[in-house]
Amino acid sequence: MLAGIVAFTAGIASTLWLPELPAPAGAGLLLLLVPLALIFPWLRLPVLAGCGFFWAVFRADLVLQHGVSPAYEGEDVIATGVVVDIPERRDFGIKFLFDIRELRFQGQLVDSPGRASLKWYAQEVLPELHPGEHWQLRLRLKRPNGSLNPGGFDYERWLFQQGIRAVGYVREAKGEAGVNRALRDIPPEGWIDRLRERIKERIAARLGDSEFAGIITALTIGRGEISQEQWDVLNKTGTNHLMSISGLHIGLVAGLVFLLTSFAWRRSARLCLWLPARQAAALAAVMAALFYSALAGFSIPTQRSLIMITVAMLALLLRRGMRGGAILGIAWLAVLIADPFALMSAGFWLSFAAVAIIFYTMGARTQTRGIWWRFGRLHWLIAIGMIPPLILFFQQAPLHSFAANLIAVPVIGSVMVPAILLAVLLELSGIIDTHALFALIDQVFRWTWPVLERLAGLDFALWVQPPPAAWALVCALVGVTLCLAPAGWPGRWVGIVWMLPMLMTRPPAPGAGDVWLSMLDVGQGLAVVVRTERHTLVYDTGAKASENFDMASAVVIPYLQNAGIRRVDRVILSHDDIDHIGAADELLARFPEAAVFTPAIARYQAAGAADCRAGMRWEWDGVGFEFIHPDDPREWREDNNRSCVLRIEASGGSVLITGDIERKVEARLLQQGRLASADILFAPHHGSGSSSSNGFIEAVAAKYVLFSSGYRNRFHHPKTEIVNNYRETGAEILDTAREGAVEFVIDAKQGILPPRQYRRDHVRFWRRG
């Protein structure tokens, strides 16, 4: 059975590397081999792999057959559909999912993209949106799009997994009253989501402005407004998995219901004669897991947990003695049949890894000690066993997650979750006033949270490590297997040696005189990382979209971790525009040792930042750096024209990073004779029409011209005429909106090597081309 499951999984996994999908009918030809596999046993594993391949292609085609047509992308359309899930109130307005049932463009019906992720930006009065409501909306839609960088979150992949085939925003219908309106004559859908919204409102009413209201809501319905500071504490202590309805919570609730039902059922001989207590308890556990999963909106992680629990309980119902490995294998197969693209999710691998560790380490070895010894030992073993997957997926592992989880799991998972569910049931039933119960729940969090904060504040809280090479990961898995082997197994300590390569290997780095240059994909904004042999410079950080999302945390810091960079020597904040330095505070909090240079931005000067002034020079590892603008930042009224302009000179080539300077500054630099040719040019102001004069283009004569812009951005950067002007000089044009992150190696001996374009080097069938 194990070999067949591995083959089926391999077939699904093989589709994840395809740049384009084959036709489902063509992939289905593999199924013609099924009769032969029944005759020739040696064909069974290849046929099972083919079945996995066909199933993944078929399911992907069902998702991809919907999408935004180029005919109306970025144009006004009229959509009729249903609000899905609970809309989220954000600082910019409302974010919600909309299942588009009918779409009209210029009065004509067109193919609907299906489910869309929408934003309704704040107006004087924002409407009340509720799950299941039917609305007519004027929209601007575009294809799913996200930043694409080494080490960064693949938002387009996540959207594909969720079946979301369009993103966009609601347009105000000027001069056409009543276009954006609820269709009251159609009954609402989605009673589960409406129930979840009602629960959210009840919790908010009971807890008021409590700082833990978001956590308690997340533990109840799988979604809550958890602050960035709280997430930092959870991430650093390895307890972030507790703050949503996860497999652990569903398993604990199902287990508690199983025990209570079994205990109560055994009190009645008549009930036991009708149905054995274990089978009754199994049915109750599945119903509890189903109810809790429904509260979470049947999110993909809860679907996986529900399937795993159902498989285990079915074994009891059918009175089949099954080993833990068999239950795990059947659950794995069932999850992949239900959702073949669960393989793309880190949560899938982490949840099955945790259960596998439990089966491997606790099976038939826990009879001689008490429950608290077993519980503590379990978390210690899980903390060790989860180090390789955590480093692989997140480039970090909490070093004290054992201690944090030893406190948090029994308090939150075993006590608070059942208490919260009881409070919610009582609140909905109206039997008693639950104010005191919710207040007690809130108080328990107030007692527990300071302990987690103290653990998160320790200097050694987090081990940060670049993702290991494949051979190092295999070694680490061997090492974990040895370390977690039963007592008495010879040479268990050797497992530590096997794990060392994963913890000690480092990615390649520049040599003496080399420059490694990366223009990161931060949408409409700029973030550049420059590396020499022993130094790192960051020029701009990208924007900050909200209190819970910024480009430093989402793109720049993950990139630095992925590259094995532990220290940033200098941060240059080119000028005071949010798309360039909106995320600066987050980056500087992560690298407080970095020297900061700005064009006299007061709030950073007060914190010790220095001015960037023309003529400032320094040298790192045989590479020269020089500011060529501004002479005096206070001379320029416009922030754009204050931009710090940096020139980099290496034996293998030169770079000019210009920020958002406009033609006034370009003319000044030409007049002063400070412009010299550069091999790589970051085009001024993202290629706007106010920059890149002909004289500037001719003076720089760049071989490569780089534009950092957002896909279909509202400024229409870079302008077509500007791009054409650069092309006429023979320059190669690179744009993050098309290429994703762009990386250059300027070798001291070989010169500038061909650039790596992350989007084009990692083409996948679900990504925007």
Side-chain angles (χ1 to χ4, degrees):
M1 182 180 74
L2 176 61
I5 293 174
V6 171
F8 186 79
T9 303
I12 294 175
S14 65
T15 65
L16 304 183
W17 301 92
L18 295 175
E20 294 183 7
L21 281 181
L29 293 176
L30 295 169
L31 301 182
L32 297 177
L33 297 176
V34 171
L36 293 176
L38 299 176
I39 301 172
F40 303 104
W42 59 271
L43 271 178
R44 289 174 185 170
L45 291 183
V47 167
L48 282 171
C51 290
F53 181 83
F54 166 75
W55 182 237
V57 169
F58 173 73
R59 290 290 297 274
D61 185 70
L62 289 179
V63 176
L64 296 181
Q65 67 183 349
H66 302 287
V68 176
S69 168
Y72 61 78
E73 187 175 20
E75 302 290 339
D76 282 1
V77 292
I78 303 298
T80 303
V82 181
V83 177
V84 180
D85 209 338
I86 303 174
E88 300 177 53
R89 288 274 176 173
R90 301 285 184 88
D91 47 5
F92 60 77
I94 306 174
K95 182 177 181 181
F96 63 103
L97 292 178
F98 194 60
D99 192 359
I100 300 175
R101 304 287 175 82
E102 183 180 281
L103 194 68
R104 290 184 178 274
F105 174 55
Q106 296 179 349
Q108 301 296 318
L109 277 175
V110 294
D111 291 338
S112 167
R115 183 161 294 186
S117 176
L118 301 177
K119 294 178 181 179
W120 198 327
Y121 291 100
Q123 310 293 326
E124 292 184 5
V125 179
L126 272 172
E128 289 292 331
L129 294 180
H130 300 285
E133 290 183 338
H134 289 250
W135 277 75
Q136 176 183 280
L137 298 171
R138 181 190 294 274
L139 304 176
R140 283 273 177 95
L141 299 175
K142 61 182 179 180
R143 288 177 287 172
N145 172 73
S147 299
L148 206 56
N149 299 276
F153 177 66
D154 191 340
Y155 183 56
E156 292 176 37
R157 180 175 66 183
W158 182 85
L159 289 174
F160 168 75
Q161 284 183 267
Q162 304 298 315
I164 297 171
R165 299 304 303 147
V167 295
Y169 61 94
V170 179
R171 290 263 292 168
E172 284 303 302
K174 297 179 180 179
E176 294 184 48
V179 173
N180 294 331
R181 58 189 175 88
L183 304 177
R184 304 294 183 185
D185 54 330
I186 302 177
E189 301 178 14
W191 66 269
I192 291 178
D193 286 335
R194 295 202 304 279
L195 175 62
R196 295 171 65 227
E197 183 183 48
R198 182 183 172 195
I199 291 171
K200 179 182 178 181
E201 293 170 351
R202 292 290 187 92
I203 293 174
R206 290 300 184 189
L207 295 177
D209 58 355
S210 168
E211 62 181 306
F212 301 108
I215 291 176
I216 294 171
T217 304
L219 290 171
T220 310
I221 62 170
R223 176 180 295 174
E225 297 175 1
I226 301 176
S227 70
Q228 188 59 50
E229 291 77 12
Q230 289 173 331
W231 275 122
D232 290 341
V233 170
L234 297 169
N235 289 330
K236 289 180 179 179
T237 55
T239 54
N240 51 343
H241 64 97
L242 294 174
M243 293 304 120
S244 60
I245 299 179
S246 64
L248 175 63
H249 295 325
I250 294 177
L252 287 171
V253 169
L256 179 62
V257 170
F258 181 92
L259 293 174
L260 292 176
T261 304
S262 179
F263 175 80
W265 203 269
R266 292 177 193 277
R267 306 279 77 80
S268 170
R270 179 176 297 180
L271 289 176
C272 288
L273 288 173
W274 178 65
L275 185 67
R278 285 170 61 87
Q279 290 179 297
L283 281 172
V286 171
M287 296 302 295
L290 181 63
F291 170 72
Y292 202 10
S293 299
L295 285 184
F298 289 110
S299 64
I300 291 176
T302 57
Q303 289 177 29
R304 293 196 297 264
S305 303
L306 178 60
I307 290 172
M308 292 176 68
I309 291 168
T310 302
V311 169
M313 294 300 103
L314 276 176
L316 289 177
L317 286 169
L318 299 175
R319 302 180 183 182
R320 298 289 301 270
M322 296 181 66
R323 299 175 64 88
I327 293 175
L328 193 66
I330 294 172
W332 176 287
L333 184 62
V335 168
L336 291 185
I337 291 174
D339 176 21
F341 299 107
L343 285 178
M344 304 167 75
S345 167
F348 170 84
W349 295 95
L350 294 175
S351 58
F352 274 99
V355 176
I357 290 168
I358 293 171
F359 284 152
Y360 176 63
T361 59
M362 304 300 284
R365 287 180 262 183
T366 61
Q367 286 76 14
T368 58
R369 303 290 181 93
I371 187 171
W372 290 109
W373 180 88
R374 298 181 201 174
F375 183 79
R377 177 173 178 264
L378 174 63
H379 284 286
W380 171 248
L381 296 174
I382 289 177
I384 295 173
M386 294 299 285
I387 289 175
L390 286 173
I391 289 179
L392 175 65
F393 290 112
F394 304 114
Q395 293 87 59
Q396 60 187 32
L399 296 181
H400 48 33
S401 62
F402 160 70
N405 279 280
L406 193 60
I407 298 167
V409 169
V411 173
I412 296 174
S414 301
V415 178
M416 300 310 297
V417 168
I420 292 169
L421 291 179
L422 176 62
V424 167
L425 289 173
L426 292 174
E427 175 72 23
L428 293 176
S429 66
I431 297 174
I432 61 172
D433 185 356
T434 59
H435 181 80
L437 181 54
F438 274 109
L440 178 61
I441 292 169
D442 183 65
Q443 186 58 53
V444 173
F445 275 104
R446 293 181 187 278
W447 289 331
T448 307
W449 194 256
V451 179
L452 297 180
E453 286 184 317
R454 182 69 61 88
L455 289 172
L458 297 176
D459 292 337
F460 57 87
L462 209 59
W463 177 272
V464 178
Q465 174 74 33
W471 67 271
L473 180 62
V474 171
C475 290
L477 294 177
V478 173
V480 164
T481 304
L482 288 173
C483 287
L484 302 184
W489 189 276
R492 286 199 301 171
W493 64 272
V494 179
I496 298 174
V497 179
W498 278 89
M499 292 180 70
L500 289 179
M502 180 189 68
L503 301 176
M504 299 178 66
T505 54
R506 290 287 180 270
D514 295 346
V515 176
W516 288 13
L517 178 74
S518 301
M519 176 176 65
L520 302 182
D521 180 7
V522 292
Q524 187 63 27
L526 182 65
V528 182
V529 177
V530 183
R531 301 175 63 191
T532 63
E533 184 181 20
R534 294 186 297 273
H535 296 85
T536 300
L537 177 149
V538 176
Y539 183 105
D540 284 347
T541 65
K544 181 174 183 176
S546 68
E547 287 301 317
N548 294 323
F549 183 81
D550 63 89
M551 285 299 177
S553 302
V555 174
V556 183
I557 294 174
Y559 173 84
L560 296 172
Q561 291 180 349
N562 187 73
I565 298 170
R566 298 180 180 272
R567 174 185 173 85
V568 171
D569 298 280
R570 293 195 177 186
V571 173
I572 298 173
L573 305 178
S574 66
H575 64 295
D576 198 7
D577 272 3
I578 192 171
D579 61 326
H580 286 253
I581 66 168
D585 291 344
E586 285 71 21
L587 181 72
L588 295 175
R590 178 65 179 80
F591 299 99
E593 74 284 352
V596 180
F597 290 81
T598 78
I601 300 176
R603 62 185 182 279
Y604 292 108
Q605 283 186 316
D611 286 355
C612 55
R613 289 180 178 266
M616 292 180 61
R617 298 183 179 88
W618 69 95
E619 184 175 309
W620 284 343
D621 312 316
V623 179
F625 295 78
E626 179 185 5
F627 287 122
I628 65 171
H629 180 78
D631 293 299
D632 181 359
R634 297 163 186 82
E635 176 186 357
W636 302 90
R637 291 186 178 181
E638 310 93 341
D639 276 330
N640 285 348
N641 284 327
R642 294 181 182 180
S643 296
C644 304
V645 180
L646 179 67
R647 183 175 179 83
I648 304 171
E649 284 282 356
S651 58
S654 56
V655 182
L656 185 62
I657 310 178
T658 59
D660 274 359
I661 62 170
E662 297 177 337
R663 297 192 179 197
K664 289 181 184 178
V665 174
E666 294 172 3
R668 172 77 67 88
L669 292 174
L670 284 167
Q671 181 183 7
Q672 293 172 334
R674 292 179 181 172
L675 280 181
S677 62
D679 297 298
I680 301 172
L681 168 67
F682 286 78
H685 201 186
H686 316 285
S688 76
S690 63
S691 305
S692 297
S693 62
N694 290 334
F696 176 85
I697 293 173
E698 292 172 3
V700 177
K703 297 177 182 176
Y704 297 94
V705 177
L706 279 56
F707 297 95
S708 181
S709 65
Y711 175 67
R712 299 191 70 89
N713 64 85
R714 62 192 180 96
F715 306 104
H716 305 290
H717 292 161
K719 298 294 184 179
T720 303
E721 60 270 22
I722 299 297
V723 173
N724 291 338
N725 289 343
Y726 280 112
R727 278 208 175 99
E728 288 175 2
T729 67
E732 182 175 342
I733 306 299
L734 297 168
D735 185 351
T736 55
R738 289 197 318 268
E739 278 80 36
V742 178
E743 299 179 289
F744 281 91
V745 170
I746 305 177
D747 189 271
K749 297 179 181 178
Q750 301 179 61
I752 301 175
L753 303 183
R756 294 191 295 269
Q757 303 163 50
Y758 198 76
R759 184 176 290 275
R760 296 193 178 185
D761 292 343
H762 297 79
V763 177
R764 299 292 183 268
F765 64 83
W766 64 81
R767 287 189 184 135
R768 171 179 59 81

